[in-house]
Amino acid sequence: MATSALRTAAPASPWEPASTRAQQREVKRNAVLQTAAQLFNERGFHATSLDDIAERLNVSKPTLYYYVESKDQILLECVRTALDLMHDGIEAVRAAGGSAIEQLKACMRIYTGVVTQDFGMCVIRIGEDPLPEPLKTELRRLKAGIDLQFRRLIADGVAEGSLAPCDPKMAAFMLAGALSWVGRWYRSDGHLSPEEIADQGIDLLLNGVLQRPVATRRKKAASAKVTKAPRKKGKA
């Protein structure tokens, strides 16, 4: 009997390919972070344990250590994820170009959208205080980068005439502070969507709440319409 006839097909491996296992691990790791962020926002950082996170995920506590090292690292990753979303969104807006005021409005919408998500709310409600050094310093560096982008946009807006003269540093602090507070009071079951909150918030922050006299409003509206005087016809 030929040797080849004695050979049988190799059994299929019960393990997924390495690339698939890596993807599954990333999905599960993201689930750990998302669940942790939700619990931190609901109960607070110190009142949430790894056991709580594991229970909500229906896994054992030792299983979590396959994806994260500690609760401190979980908070760091949650906050870093939110700040990365803000940074990437702002960078995309800047790269797309346009007037400074339109870029500023777009960045304010991105900022509002992030702080109404689990990771963004974690930045606002929990922050960096529970973290030890040097993790706290790293997060401050990421925040400083976002603040600098807002300052530049405001300075550009003043330069182009779309914003009133102001201190860009103070203005950036005030705008970001107001938008950040949305993460404190926002509720997903509220009557306003994140988009509606962003639209109303931007209008209030940039246009104010004071009622302007009718004459002043008409004057500003007229000055906004730049028209060219008709050219007089010369003699032939």
Side-chain angles (χ1 to χ4, degrees):
M1 183 177 296
T3 305
S4 59
L6 298 176
R7 293 175 181 171
T8 58
S13 173
W15 283 271
E16 298 285 351
S19 58
T20 303
R21 293 200 302 272
Q23 292 175 356
Q24 291 176 346
R25 184 180 185 281
E26 188 63 20
V27 168
K28 292 176 181 177
R29 185 175 184 275
N30 288 337
V32 171
L33 297 179
Q34 187 92 39
T35 300
Q38 292 171 353
L39 286 168
F40 291 160
N41 293 330
E42 294 169 10
R43 307 179 184 181
F45 178 75
H46 295 296
T48 301
S49 67
L50 290 177
D51 288 313
D52 295 327
I53 299 170
E55 181 180 359
R56 181 165 291 191
L57 287 167
N58 298 317
V59 299
S60 65
K61 181 178 177 180
T63 300
L64 295 182
Y65 290 111
Y66 180 68
Y67 306 100
V68 294
E69 296 176 4
S70 65
K71 194 170 77 166
D72 285 345
Q73 190 206 13
I74 291 176
L75 178 58
L76 172 67
E77 293 302 326
C78 288
V79 176
R80 179 190 283 153
T81 297
L83 295 178
D84 284 345
L85 287 171
M86 290 181 186
H87 181 269
D88 292 346
I90 292 172
E91 284 289 321
V93 168
R94 295 290 272 168
S99 67
I101 186 63
E102 290 306 319
Q103 288 187 46
L104 178 60
K105 289 178 180 178
C107 291
M108 291 171 73
R109 287 191 179 90
I110 289 169
Y111 198 105
T112 305
V114 173
V115 300
T116 56
Q117 299 173 20
D118 291 325
F119 292 130
M121 283 191 282
C122 202
V123 174
I124 308 307
R125 298 182 184 185
I126 309 301
E128 66 196 29
D129 290 339
L131 291 174
E133 294 291 358
L135 302 184
K136 188 180 295 185
T137 299
E138 180 181 351
L139 290 185
R140 286 176 179 169
R141 178 184 59 79
L142 293 172
K143 288 182 179 180
I146 295 170
D147 172 66
L148 181 60
Q149 289 280 28
F150 269 90
R151 292 190 202 184
R152 288 173 176 169
L153 280 169
I154 292 168
D156 290 347
V158 172
E160 75 178 14
S162 59
L163 293 178
C166 62
D167 178 355
K169 179 179 179 180
M170 175 64 73
F173 282 161
M174 295 297 290
L175 290 180
L179 294 175
S180 293
W181 206 249
V182 173
R184 288 277 183 178
W185 53 259
Y186 171 74
R187 295 292 180 273
S188 59
D189 58 352
H191 68 285
L192 290 177
S193 68
E195 293 76 18
E196 291 170 327
I197 292 172
D199 288 341
Q200 291 193 35
I202 291 169
D203 184 57
L204 287 169
L205 289 170
L206 296 184
N207 299 320
V209 295
L210 292 178
Q211 180 66 272
R212 294 175 176 81
V214 175
T216 302
R217 293 202 302 271
R218 287 176 178 172
K219 184 178 179 180
K220 287 186 176 181
S223 63
K225 297 179 180 179
V226 180
T227 58
K228 294 183 179 180
R231 180 184 297 176
K232 293 182 179 180
K233 294 182 179 180
K235 295 181 178 180

